[in-house]
């Protein structure tokens, strides 16, 4: 079952909120409503097998690039500290399985792109891949990567070209790269 996380208690304006000056004296509901008028169609889906602070950091990236919404699949609980309060402005949902998210978004015309570098799946470079405006990007957990269920449900896989010695980026960095590329193409 898909459920929406609470927006939290940030109802009163606060000069210390991590927002641009325009929003400093706005309530969270006012900020969220203003952002909703300009959101892109980008959706992020995060598999959550552990208590992961990087998911909240990736939600912060979703806010920075004004994505539509995100889904946390699997374990409901996640560490919100990395979001730095943007979870009050974002549409964040929980789903028990990725199939539930697919069943909700596929009829709306969404394409699902897995983000991983599993060479057996013939991933394409994210900088070169053709993507449609309604794209849901699927990210695996930090330690486990993508589940086979997620790989099977996605239309295809993309990777982020790297030149260093590390096998992969953490999910927050990967989401930032992918959302920046999506934004360059569709919001430019």
């Amino acid at each position: 079952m898909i459920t929406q996380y609470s927006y939290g208690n940030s109802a009163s304006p606060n000069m210390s909120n991590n927002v641009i000056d325009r929003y400093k004296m706005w309530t969270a509901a006012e900020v969220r409503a203003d952002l909703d008028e300009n959101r892109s169609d980008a959706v992020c889906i995060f598999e959550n097998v552990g208590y992961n602070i990087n998911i909240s950091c990736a939600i912060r990236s979703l806010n920075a690039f004004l994505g539509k919404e995100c889904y946390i699949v699997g374990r409901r609980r996640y560490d919100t500290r990395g979001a730095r309060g943007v979870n009050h402005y974002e549409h964040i949902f929980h789903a028990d399985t990725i199939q539930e998210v697919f069943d909700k978004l596929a009829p709306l015309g969404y394409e699902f792109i897995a983000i991983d570098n599993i060479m057996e799946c013939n991933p394409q470079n994210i900088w070169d891949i053709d993507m449609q405006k309604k794209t849901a990007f699927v990210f695996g957990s930090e330690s486990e990567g993508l589940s086979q269920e997620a790989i099977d449900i996605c239309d295809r896989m993309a990777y982020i070209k790297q030149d260093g010695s590390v096998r992969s980026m953490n999910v927050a960095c990967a989401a930032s790269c992918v959302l920046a590329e999506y934004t360059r193409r569709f919001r430019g």
Side-chain angles (χ1 to χ4, degrees):
M1 181 170 76
I2 295 176
T3 57
Q4 187 166 10
Y5 287 90
S6 166
Y7 290 119
N9 302 340
S10 183
S12 61
N14 185 341
M15 288 296 291
S16 67
N17 283 349
N18 184 24
V19 293
I20 58 176
D21 288 343
R22 173 180 172 197
Y23 295 135
K24 285 287 185 196
M25 295 307 296
W26 294 28
T27 66
E30 290 169 332
V31 173
R32 189 171 46 256
D34 192 59
L35 295 175
D36 285 350
E37 292 180 18
N38 296 301
R39 290 189 187 276
S40 71
D41 289 318
V43 171
C44 288
I45 302 167
F46 304 105
E47 290 188 304
N48 186 23
V49 296
Y51 189 60
N52 192 338
I53 193 168
N54 280 312
I55 288 175
S56 62
C57 293
I59 291 168
R60 187 173 177 179
S61 294
L62 184 76
N63 174 275
F65 295 107
L66 209 50
K68 181 177 181 172
E69 59 197 22
C70 75
Y71 295 83
I72 298 172
V73 176
R75 185 179 171 153
R76 180 169 177 79
R77 191 170 167 197
Y78 73 101
D79 188 336
T80 61
R81 290 177 295 171
R84 302 293 300 150
V86 301
N87 49 310
H88 299 297
Y89 317 125
E90 295 308 305
H91 304 289
I92 307 168
F93 299 89
H94 173 262
D96 293 323
T97 68
I98 193 162
Q99 184 68 51
E100 293 172 327
V101 182
F102 178 83
D103 291 345
K104 178 181 177 184
L105 297 178
L108 301 175
Y110 273 85
E111 171 185 38
F112 290 74
I113 298 179
I115 306 298
D116 209 330
N117 55 6
I118 303 168
M119 289 303 135
E120 298 81 40
C121 296
N122 299 313
Q124 296 174 278
N125 188 327
I126 193 69
W127 317 127
D128 301 328
I129 194 171
D130 288 328
M131 66 177 83
Q132 62 186 42
K133 200 167 185 185
K134 284 189 169 185
T135 298
F137 300 103
V138 183
F139 301 88
S141 70
E142 293 292 318
S143 58
E144 308 293 323
L146 284 166
S147 68
Q148 190 61 50
E149 179 187 17
I151 293 168
D152 292 344
I153 220 163
C154 287
D155 298 298
R156 54 207 167 118
M157 183 178 288
Y159 70 96
I160 300 164
K161 184 180 181 319
Q162 302 169 184
D163 296 317
S165 63
V166 67
R167 187 193 89 72
S168 65
M169 295 181 193
N170 70 42
V171 72
C173 292
S176 294
C177 290
V178 168
L179 290 167
E181 177 60 11
Y182 176 93
T183 300
R184 183 189 70 79
R185 292 184 192 197
F186 295 111
R187 295 182 73 92

